[in-house]
Amino acid sequence: METYRTPDERFAGLESFPWPPSYADVPDQDGGTLRMAWVEAGPSDGPVALLLHGEPTWSYLYRHVIRVLVDAGVRVVAPDLVGFGRSDKPLATTDHSFARHVEWVRSLVLDELDLHDITLVGQDWGGLIGLRLVAEHPDRFAAVVAANTGLPTGDFDMPEIWWQFRRAVESAPSLDIGRFVEAGCLHGLAEADRLAYDAPYPVEEAKAGPRVMPTLVPTRPDDPATEANRAAWEVLTGWEKPFLTPFSDGDPITGAMAPILRKLVPGAAALEHPTIEGAGHFLQEDAGEELGRVVAAFMGR
């Protein structure tokens, strides 16, 4: 597996993201290893929140959430998915699959970090991957916060706006990562934040992860990930631990998933599910502190 490792100097000067990275090698499932990065903050003996980002962001997305959770005494672990942020980036799109991304995160979180009693906070692909982990290793998770995410099986079509996004990513000669993130925010991005999202990718060929991820979402019943996602749903429809769905009010891509999750997951039934108002798909950017307060209150209930 041929990979790219972003030079450290690309991440210099991120004043709003002061936490130093940690690194571990995980099996690449091709006979070698990949280096995965994560940031950790808060008390080492605090309750654990696992913050999983999606496409095409990295753990920088959670900087506002992290501050609120740390002030609440939460131990925060925020990895960068393989192909994103400070983690290694396989250069071939064929090196990426839904199953591999689940296994890469599992190797880091459960094997290397050996986390237990985890509260998952997953948005976008962070929910797709995280919900699979919850379903496949339910004993390691205490609760779930699913925000602007879901777990497609390919049995129902994705919304047209998602197909527009997928086509735009597939066809763009040069993938403008910062612009794509900004398009998912209702309040835009500061120039420094756009540069932070561009930082992991000084060369175009390193963007194989962001470019291929939309194609890995199951869109037909015979997708390679469909069987495993259906199996995950069988577990989730019996999940009675707390399951919170603080979706934003301005995300046309995932908004329809909120009532489905609340209806089908038993652990969601007895909870009040807040709506994060004035926020788009990347609600961590538009309303990160509010989301942090919601998660902190949920974990301290």
Side-chain angles (χ1 to χ4, degrees), residues 85-289:
R86 294 185 173 104
S87 291
D88 283 349
K89 298 164 182 67
L91 295 179
T93 57
T94 53
D95 287 331
H96 295 264
S97 71
F98 199 140
R100 281 185 166 185
H101 276 280
V102 171
E103 179 58 20
W104 288 329
V105 176
R106 188 208 63 79
S107 294
L108 176 69
V109 171
L110 302 188
D111 292 346
E112 294 293 331
L113 298 178
D114 194 27
L115 299 182
H116 294 261
D117 296 322
I118 305 164
T119 294
L120 167 71
V121 181
Q123 180 262 342
D124 192 85
W125 264 99
L128 274 69
I129 293 169
L131 291 175
R132 280 276 299 273
L133 289 176
V134 168
E136 293 168 11
H137 307 276
D139 58 313
R140 302 293 283 268
F141 290 85
V144 173
V145 178
N148 289 3
T149 191
L151 189 62
T153 61
D155 295 306
F156 303 95
D157 198 11
M158 299 292 287
E160 176 57 27
I161 192 169
W162 180 86
W163 282 106
Q164 293 174 9
F165 168 74
R166 172 172 164 166
R167 289 191 290 266
V169 171
E170 287 182 294
S171 62
S174 176
L175 203 57
D176 189 337
I177 301 294
R179 184 178 70 83
F180 274 115
V181 177
E182 185 170 32
C185 302
L186 291 188
H187 304 299
L189 282 179
E191 180 64 18
D193 296 327
R194 283 192 60 160
L195 292 174
Y197 287 116
D198 289 333
Y201 309 103
V203 295
E204 190 67 26
E205 54 266 32
K207 300 175 185 176
R211 193 175 285 279
V212 77
M213 289 298 269
T215 71
L216 303 183
V217 176
T219 58
R220 61 184 193 277
D222 61 345
D223 186 275
T226 290
E227 184 177 351
N229 283 11
R230 285 177 181 158
W233 269 111
E234 291 184 8
V235 176
L236 294 173
T237 52
W239 174 271
E240 296 185 352
K241 298 177 187 178
F243 192 105
L244 191 70
T245 59
F247 276 52
S248 72
D249 64 350
D251 183 14
I253 295 177
T254 66
M257 282 303 304
I260 293 173
L261 290 167
R262 293 166 190 169
K263 178 181 179 180
L264 295 182
V265 181
L271 300 176
E272 290 189 17
H273 299 272
T275 297
I276 308 297
E277 297 183 354
H281 180 64
F282 296 111
L283 71 171
Q284 302 96 322
E285 283 290 347
D286 285 326
E289 291 186 1

Side-chain angles (χ1 to χ4, degrees), residues 4 17 32 50 55 100 228 240:
Y4 178 83
F17 194 67
L50 173 66
E55 145 86 358
R100 281 185 166 185
E240 296 185 352

